[in-house]
Amino acid sequence: MFKKDVIEIRFHGRGGQGAVTAANILVTVAYKNGLWAQAFPFFGAERRGAPVMAFARIGKQRIRRRSMIREPDIVVVLDDRLPKVVNVLSGLRDGGYVLINTGSIDEAKELSGGGKYMVYAVNATRIALDLNLVLAGWPLVNTAILGALAKILEFPLRSVEEAIIEYLGEERGKINVLAARRAYEEVKLIE
Protein backbone atom coordinates (compact mmCIF):
# COMPACT_ATOMS: atom_id res chain seq x y z
CA MET A 1 0.00 0.00 0.00
CA PHE A 2 2.83 2.43 0.80
CA LYS A 3 4.29 2.85 -2.66
CA LYS A 4 3.83 6.61 -2.32
CA ASP A 5 5.67 8.81 0.14
CA VAL A 6 2.38 10.16 1.52
CA ILE A 7 -1.08 8.61 1.44
CA GLU A 8 -3.98 11.03 1.85
CA ILE A 9 -7.27 9.85 3.31
CA ARG A 10 -10.59 11.68 3.50
CA PHE A 11 -13.29 10.48 5.90
CA HIS A 12 -16.94 11.29 5.22
CA GLY A 13 -19.35 10.80 8.08
CA ARG A 14 -22.17 12.38 9.99
CA GLY A 15 -21.74 14.33 13.18
CA GLY A 16 -21.67 11.84 16.05
CA GLN A 17 -20.44 8.84 14.05
CA GLY A 18 -16.82 9.30 15.04
CA ALA A 19 -15.08 10.21 11.76
CA VAL A 20 -12.76 12.62 13.58
CA THR A 21 -11.95 10.04 16.24
CA ALA A 22 -11.24 7.42 13.58
CA ALA A 23 -8.79 9.76 11.85
CA ASN A 24 -7.07 10.52 15.17
CA ILE A 25 -6.74 6.86 16.12
CA LEU A 26 -5.41 6.09 12.64
CA VAL A 27 -2.53 8.50 13.31
CA THR A 28 -1.58 6.48 16.39
CA VAL A 29 -1.74 3.26 14.35
CA ALA A 30 0.60 4.81 11.77
CA TYR A 31 3.07 5.88 14.48
CA LYS A 32 3.05 2.36 15.89
CA ASN A 33 4.09 1.14 12.46
CA GLY A 34 7.04 3.53 12.14
CA LEU A 35 5.29 6.10 9.95
CA TRP A 36 4.58 9.81 10.23
CA ALA A 37 0.98 10.95 10.29
CA GLN A 38 -1.41 13.81 10.90
CA ALA A 39 -5.18 14.07 11.28
CA PHE A 40 -7.51 17.02 11.32
CA PRO A 41 -11.27 17.67 11.12
CA PHE A 42 -13.25 19.91 8.83
CA PHE A 43 -16.54 21.13 10.17
CA GLY A 44 -18.30 24.28 11.17
CA ALA A 45 -21.33 24.54 13.39
CA GLU A 46 -22.69 21.17 12.33
CA ARG A 47 -24.98 19.22 14.55
CA ARG A 48 -25.36 15.52 15.17
CA GLY A 49 -26.25 13.86 11.89
CA ALA A 50 -24.95 16.61 9.60
CA PRO A 51 -22.25 15.66 7.06
CA VAL A 52 -18.70 16.13 8.34
CA MET A 53 -15.23 15.39 7.01
CA ALA A 54 -11.97 14.45 8.63
CA PHE A 55 -8.59 13.99 7.02
CA ALA A 56 -5.47 11.96 7.61
CA ARG A 57 -2.09 11.85 5.97
CA ILE A 58 0.33 8.98 6.48
CA GLY A 59 3.88 9.15 5.22
CA LYS A 60 7.34 7.68 5.36
CA GLN A 61 8.85 11.05 6.32
CA ARG A 62 7.76 14.13 8.24
CA ILE A 63 4.63 15.65 6.68
CA ARG A 64 4.70 19.41 6.39
CA ARG A 65 1.50 19.98 4.41
CA ARG A 66 -1.44 21.12 6.53
CA SER A 67 -4.02 21.89 3.87
CA MET A 68 -7.35 20.21 3.34
CA ILE A 69 -7.11 17.06 1.22
CA ARG A 70 -8.71 17.66 -2.16
CA GLU A 71 -7.27 14.70 -4.09
CA PRO A 72 -7.31 11.76 -1.67
CA ASP A 73 -5.88 8.34 -2.33
CA ILE A 74 -8.54 6.78 -0.11
CA VAL A 75 -12.08 7.85 0.71
CA VAL A 76 -13.77 6.37 3.78
CA VAL A 77 -17.58 6.64 3.97
CA LEU A 78 -19.11 5.99 7.39
CA ASP A 79 -22.74 6.27 6.23
CA ASP A 80 -23.93 4.71 2.97
CA ARG A 81 -26.59 7.41 2.58
CA LEU A 82 -23.99 10.17 2.29
CA PRO A 83 -23.18 9.59 -1.41
CA LYS A 84 -26.75 10.68 -2.15
CA VAL A 85 -26.15 14.12 -0.58
CA VAL A 86 -22.36 14.64 -0.82
CA ASN A 87 -20.01 13.89 -3.70
CA VAL A 88 -17.76 11.59 -1.68
CA LEU A 89 -15.72 10.72 -4.78
CA SER A 90 -14.80 14.34 -5.51
CA GLY A 91 -11.11 14.53 -6.35
CA LEU A 92 -10.44 10.83 -5.68
CA ARG A 93 -7.38 9.84 -7.68
CA ASP A 94 -7.79 7.26 -10.45
CA GLY A 95 -6.93 3.89 -8.98
CA GLY A 96 -7.91 5.20 -5.54
CA TYR A 97 -9.65 3.23 -2.85
CA VAL A 98 -13.13 3.60 -1.39
CA LEU A 99 -14.14 2.02 1.91
CA ILE A 100 -17.84 2.20 2.66
CA ASN A 101 -19.90 1.16 5.65
CA THR A 102 -22.81 -0.64 4.03
CA GLY A 103 -24.79 -3.83 4.07
CA SER A 104 -25.60 -3.45 0.38
CA ILE A 105 -23.20 -4.69 -2.27
CA ASP A 106 -25.15 -2.66 -4.85
CA GLU A 107 -24.56 0.56 -2.87
CA ALA A 108 -20.85 -0.22 -2.78
CA LYS A 109 -20.66 -1.06 -6.50
CA GLU A 110 -22.12 2.35 -7.37
CA LEU A 111 -18.93 3.94 -6.00
CA SER A 112 -16.58 2.13 -8.38
CA GLY A 113 -16.59 5.02 -10.86
CA GLY A 114 -17.01 2.55 -13.70
CA GLY A 115 -14.01 0.57 -12.51
CA LYS A 116 -11.77 3.58 -11.76
CA TYR A 117 -11.68 2.83 -8.03
CA MET A 118 -11.14 -0.18 -5.79
CA VAL A 119 -14.19 -0.43 -3.55
CA TYR A 120 -14.22 -2.20 -0.20
CA ALA A 121 -17.30 -2.70 1.97
CA VAL A 122 -17.92 -3.65 5.57
CA ASN A 123 -21.17 -3.54 7.51
CA ALA A 124 -19.83 -1.48 10.41
CA THR A 125 -23.37 -0.52 11.45
CA ARG A 126 -24.31 -4.16 11.99
CA ILE A 127 -21.09 -4.74 13.92
CA ALA A 128 -21.76 -1.71 16.15
CA LEU A 129 -25.34 -2.78 16.78
CA ASP A 130 -24.32 -6.39 17.50
CA LEU A 131 -21.86 -5.12 20.12
CA ASN A 132 -24.26 -2.48 21.48
CA LEU A 133 -21.90 0.34 20.48
CA VAL A 134 -24.68 2.92 20.42
CA LEU A 135 -24.79 6.46 21.76
CA ALA A 136 -28.03 8.47 21.83
CA GLY A 137 -29.55 6.01 19.36
CA TRP A 138 -26.64 6.25 16.88
CA PRO A 139 -24.44 3.25 16.12
CA LEU A 140 -20.79 4.18 16.70
CA VAL A 141 -19.13 2.80 13.57
CA ASN A 142 -15.74 4.51 13.77
CA THR A 143 -13.67 1.77 15.36
CA ALA A 144 -15.19 -0.88 13.12
CA ILE A 145 -14.45 1.21 10.03
CA LEU A 146 -10.94 1.78 11.39
CA GLY A 147 -10.39 -1.98 11.64
CA ALA A 148 -11.46 -2.39 8.00
CA LEU A 149 -9.23 0.50 6.90
CA ALA A 150 -6.26 -0.99 8.74
CA LYS A 151 -6.71 -4.22 6.80
CA ILE A 152 -6.72 -2.31 3.50
CA LEU A 153 -3.62 -0.36 4.56
CA GLU A 154 -1.98 -3.64 5.61
CA PHE A 155 -1.45 -2.54 9.20
CA PRO A 156 -1.21 -5.32 11.79
CA LEU A 157 -4.41 -5.71 13.80
CA ARG A 158 -2.39 -5.59 17.03
CA SER A 159 -1.34 -1.99 16.40
CA VAL A 160 -4.99 -1.02 15.83
CA GLU A 161 -6.05 -2.68 19.08
CA GLU A 162 -3.30 -0.91 21.03
CA ALA A 163 -4.17 2.47 19.50
CA ILE A 164 -7.85 2.08 20.34
CA ILE A 165 -7.07 1.24 23.97
CA GLU A 166 -4.64 4.18 24.23
CA TYR A 167 -7.17 6.60 22.76
CA LEU A 168 -10.36 5.39 24.45
CA GLY A 169 -8.98 3.86 27.63
CA GLU A 170 -9.12 0.27 28.83
CA GLU A 171 -12.81 0.23 29.77
CA ARG A 172 -14.31 1.79 26.62
CA GLY A 173 -11.59 0.39 24.42
CA LYS A 174 -12.35 -3.31 24.97
CA ILE A 175 -15.65 -3.37 23.09
CA ASN A 176 -14.27 -1.07 20.40
CA VAL A 177 -11.35 -3.46 19.89
CA LEU A 178 -13.90 -6.22 19.24
CA ALA A 179 -15.58 -4.01 16.61
CA ALA A 180 -12.24 -3.35 14.91
CA ARG A 181 -11.36 -7.06 14.92
CA ARG A 182 -14.65 -8.05 13.34
CA ALA A 183 -14.39 -5.41 10.62
CA TYR A 184 -10.74 -6.35 9.97
CA GLU A 185 -11.94 -9.89 9.22
CA GLU A 186 -15.18 -8.99 7.42
CA VAL A 187 -14.10 -6.20 5.02
CA LYS A 188 -14.43 -7.32 1.40
CA LEU A 189 -13.23 -6.07 -1.95
CA ILE A 190 -16.28 -5.55 -4.16
CA GLU A 191 -15.76 -6.91 -7.66
Side-chain angles (χ1 to χ4, degrees):
M1 172 57 68
F2 284 91
K3 295 176 180 110
K4 296 178 65 179
D5 286 338
V6 176
I7 292 177
E8 297 185 315
I9 303 166
R10 186 174 64 215
F11 292 80
H12 289 272
R14 292 188 182 275
Q17 284 186 310
V20 173
T21 298
N24 288 330
I25 295 172
L26 180 62
V27 164
T28 302
V29 173
Y31 287 145
K32 288 183 173 296
N33 286 280
L35 299 167
W36 294 85
Q38 62 180 217
F40 50 98
F42 178 79
F43 50 77
E46 284 86 354
R47 63 192 188 295
R48 181 174 292 277
V52 298
M53 287 188 291
F55 305 94
R57 285 189 179 96
I58 301 172
K60 297 175 185 174
Q61 298 175 3
R62 184 180 302 270
I63 302 167
R64 301 204 185 278
R65 274 179 277 165
R66 296 281 179 193
S67 60
M68 193 165 66
I69 295 170
R70 299 192 191 287
E71 295 181 343
D73 300 292
I74 301 171
V75 168
V76 179
V77 183
L78 279 73
D79 184 328
D80 63 1
R81 296 169 295 185
L82 277 174
K84 293 173 179 46
V85 294
V86 175
N87 182 2
V88 297
L89 300 178
S90 175
L92 181 61
R93 298 174 194 271
D94 286 355
Y97 293 73
V98 177
L99 170 60
I100 185 167
N101 165 26
T102 187
S104 167
I105 299 302
D106 292 335
E107 294 280 338
K109 283 183 180 177
E110 289 180 20
L111 295 176
S112 73
K116 283 179 17 179
Y117 313 120
M118 302 279 291
V119 179
Y120 290 82
V122 66
N123 194 337
T125 299
R126 182 182 38 81
I127 292 169
L129 292 173
D130 287 352
L131 296 172
N132 200 28
L133 275 168
V134 179
L135 179 63
W138 286 74
L140 299 174
V141 300
N142 57 342
T143 51
I145 209 79
L146 182 61
L149 180 59
K151 177 86 174 251
I152 294 165
L153 290 169
E154 301 174 359
F155 284 136
L157 181 57
R158 182 78 185 138
S159 62
V160 177
E161 294 170 348
E162 291 171 0
I164 289 171
I165 296 293
E166 285 176 24
Y167 196 89
L168 298 176
E170 189 75 34
E171 186 68 29
R172 284 181 41 214
K174 286 180 186 176
I175 196 78
N176 285 279
V177 162
L178 292 176
R181 281 183 195 157
R182 280 195 47 192
Y184 193 91
E185 296 302 321
E186 294 178 19
V187 66
K188 292 182 176 29
L189 174 63
I190 305 303
E191 315 239 23

